[in-house]
Amino acid sequence: MDRQPTLIGELVTLRPTSADDYDALYAVASDPAIWDQHPAHDRWQAAVFRGFFDAGLATGGMLTIRDAADGQVIGATRYVPAPPDAVEIGWTFLARSHWRRGYNREAKRLMIDHALGQVAAVRFSAGVDNHRSRRAIEALGATPLPPAMVERDGQMVPRVLYELRRA
């Protein structure tokens, strides 16, 4: 699957992330409120975000989200392989100025449509206490899967899992 597409919508444009995107993405990610329900609630700190950013580049599936109206960097998201014949969408963060205004939904819809043309299923994973992410995933119509322990940053953590399958 092509995990480095350029996807264009009415509200957002997603493009492959490059090392040059670090400063703009950290400017968004440095807001502690973005991470307050996230299991990695310290990701707003520069050293922690650097590891997150570098890992995203290393996966080859990190996409920078820009506001289509003005080109401003407003966040990032990723595609990560999820065998068999699936991809996980996640690791998304978005500037609070763009919450509850359709930006995340459009970014995810663009990613889902792109992925389901190439794989059988799209998966999502959220922290048990990350209710914002869980609501956003559920609003996409994803089906809940049994909870699981998954490896994140070298640790096993409980996650709530969801899936959308190709029709």
Side-chain angles (χ1 to χ4, degrees):
M1 182 189 140
D2 175 14
R3 293 185 297 118
Q4 291 281 267
T6 295
L7 305 172
I8 300 171
E10 292 181 23
L11 297 174
V12 297
T13 299
L14 287 78
R15 297 194 187 284
T17 300
S18 73
D20 292 340
D21 292 322
Y22 177 83
D23 290 337
L25 287 172
Y26 182 64
V28 173
S30 63
D31 177 355
I34 289 174
W35 309 103
D36 66 353
Q37 291 185 20
H38 195 279
H41 59 273
D42 60 350
R43 201 170 276 158
W44 60 271
Q45 297 173 11
V48 178
F49 183 76
R50 174 50 83 176
F52 172 78
F53 180 83
D54 290 346
L57 286 180
T59 68
M62 190 171 184
L63 302 171
T64 296
I65 306 168
R66 293 181 179 269
D67 187 317
D70 61 12
Q72 174 186 357
V73 171
I74 60 171
T77 190
R78 297 186 201 175
Y79 283 120
V80 176
D85 195 26
V87 68
E88 184 173 337
I89 294 175
W91 292 267
T92 306
F93 66 94
L94 194 65
R96 284 193 297 149
S97 60
H98 290 72
W99 287 6
R100 293 181 294 281
R101 296 178 50 206
Y103 291 85
N104 183 52
R105 177 184 290 271
E106 184 177 83
K108 293 294 189 321
R109 277 283 155 216
L110 289 167
M111 293 177 77
I112 290 165
D113 291 348
H114 172 76
L116 289 180
Q118 301 173 61
V119 297
V122 173
R123 298 199 179 128
F124 303 90
S125 169
V128 173
D129 295 323
N130 191 342
H131 300 289
R132 263 194 311 263
S133 291
R134 291 175 63 181
R135 279 192 305 273
I137 294 166
E138 291 164 3
L140 294 169
T143 303
L145 299 173
M149 297 293 287
V150 299
E151 187 273 326
R152 289 289 190 259
D153 301 324
Q155 298 180 28
M156 296 303 289
V157 295
R159 303 294 284 187
V160 179
L161 306 175
Y162 299 86
E163 182 176 78
L164 282 172
R165 296 201 66 78
R166 188 176 343 159

